[in-house]
Amino acid sequence: MSKPIVVGVDGSTSAEHAVRWAAKQAAGRHVPLRLVHACMVIEAYTPVTLPVSVSEALAQQGREWLREAALLAKEAAPEVDLSTHLRSGPAAQRLIEESESAGLVVLGSRGLGGFTGLVIGSVAVALSTHGHCPIVVVRGEEDRAEKPVVVGVDGSATSEAAVAFAFEEASRLGVPLVALHAWSDLSLYMKFSLPPYGLTWTEAQDEQRRILDEGLAGWREKYRDVEVRLVVTADRPAHSLLEAARDAQLVVVGSRGRGGLKGMLLGSTSQALLHHAPCAVAVIRPHS
């Protein structure tokens, strides 16, 4: 990846974690880091003349947040090449625009605008749904640098893109890759239990593992340095991936998997991970 990494800045603790994570990523990939803050003013009229306009006050605050974020980024990765950008308008819209020329957009799980009780921000959901490049939502504060990358595999187009991203990350980070395929589809089991297969549940599970292994053969050949661990579970994908995330530094999923309903731009599995994963989550769209 030669395109810059963009990180959304809003002064929140969550955004600070995202800045540190993104700075290390940018330094490791040898790409620029763009710190972006977007502020929007809803015009209001008053007979009282204010000494400083609301828009200028918000801009000043934005510049201060960007300055603080730059210090955090340099602290996390002194060698990183960074720039700060103050933009006007809705944060989600501006970051979606940024994603058109970015290699990665990084966000905190919930910004200053989040409501108490919400564990994922609206900007993160918007970017995961409409972004033009991979989106990473940084969750948790624990240092997980030595832990593996986990990727959800289900054979869909977005899953294939997620696998490509996950292998590249595992190779660059020098950590194992856990390729997880979860299946709990009774109709799929019934298919395997009928001729010409005639398999038991355990045999069907083994067959799923074989299919997963064969599906990753090309990637394993390309990334021979990556230790690959195959995991097949007869469970819901979201539950299995959340369990695997407990011992991971990054979970990679497609924006919508094989089971997604037509018209849904963000699948239930990716939404569950964005809301509940204990580590960073990368959401990959088909064109990412």
Side-chain angles (χ1 to χ4, degrees):
M1 184 180 75
S2 59
K3 296 179 179 180
I5 291 178
V6 173
V7 56
V9 174
D10 67 2
S12 65
T13 301
S14 180
E16 291 176 357
H17 298 322
V19 166
R20 294 189 185 94
W21 192 95
K24 294 175 183 178
Q25 285 281 317
R29 296 168 182 258
H30 305 290
V31 297
L33 177 67
R34 286 174 60 88
L35 306 178
V36 178
H37 173 72
C39 56
M40 181 176 68
V41 179
I42 299 175
E43 294 294 338
Y45 297 94
T46 173
V48 179
T49 302
L50 301 177
V52 179
S53 70
V54 173
S55 59
E56 180 55 31
L58 289 176
Q60 288 178 4
Q61 180 64 83
R63 283 189 286 269
E64 178 61 21
W65 283 337
L66 287 168
R67 186 190 69 81
E68 293 172 354
L71 292 175
L72 289 174
K74 283 293 186 181
E75 180 183 310
E79 70 276 28
V80 71
D81 174 19
L82 68 81
S83 57
T84 60
H85 304 269
L86 181 68
R87 301 196 58 185
S88 177
Q93 180 179 332
R94 294 296 173 259
L95 288 171
I96 289 172
E97 292 169 358
E98 289 277 344
S99 74
E100 294 181 10
S101 58
L104 191 67
V105 175
V106 181
L107 301 166
S109 58
R110 186 162 63 90
L112 286 179
F115 292 95
T116 300
L118 289 179
V119 289
I120 185 70
S122 59
V123 174
V125 172
L127 263 291
S128 299
T129 304
H130 301 291
H132 300 279
C133 70
I135 308 300
V136 172
V137 175
V138 177
R139 298 185 55 81
E141 305 174 30
E142 179 186 352
D143 183 5
R144 294 170 170 246
E146 303 302 319
K147 294 184 180 294
V149 172
V150 173
V151 60
V153 183
D154 69 3
S156 65
T158 52
S159 170
E160 187 70 10
V163 167
F165 182 91
F167 263 98
E168 182 178 351
E169 278 299 287
S171 177
R172 187 181 63 80
L173 295 169
V175 298
L177 174 66
V178 177
L180 188 151
H181 172 58
W183 68 290
S184 58
D185 189 342
L186 183 60
S187 64
L188 185 61
Y189 165 66
M190 291 178 67
K191 172 185 174 182
F192 280 118
S193 67
L194 297 173
Y197 300 103
L199 302 179
T200 65
W201 181 272
T202 300
E203 290 171 330
Q205 181 92 340
D206 291 340
E207 177 67 8
Q208 288 291 297
R209 184 182 180 87
R210 183 191 65 78
I211 293 172
L212 174 61
D213 192 19
E214 291 180 353
L216 295 178
W219 293 107
R220 298 175 86 162
E221 181 67 20
K222 180 177 180 180
Y223 292 95
R224 295 188 178 185
D225 59 315
V226 176
E227 175 192 344
V228 180
R229 303 170 185 170
L230 302 181
V231 177
V232 175
T233 65
D235 196 0
R236 293 164 296 154
H239 183 264
S240 295
L241 286 167
L242 284 171
E243 285 293 311
R246 292 183 178 182
D247 190 42
Q249 64 171 291
L250 176 68
V251 177
V252 185
V253 290
S255 59
R256 186 165 62 90
R258 186 182 58 193
L261 297 176
K262 185 177 181 180
M264 289 184 64
L265 297 178
L266 193 60
S268 59
T269 298
S270 52
Q271 288 198 52
L273 288 164
L274 287 174
H275 281 78
H276 303 295
C279 64
V281 178
V283 178
I284 315 299
R285 289 173 57 76
H287 55 266
S288 295

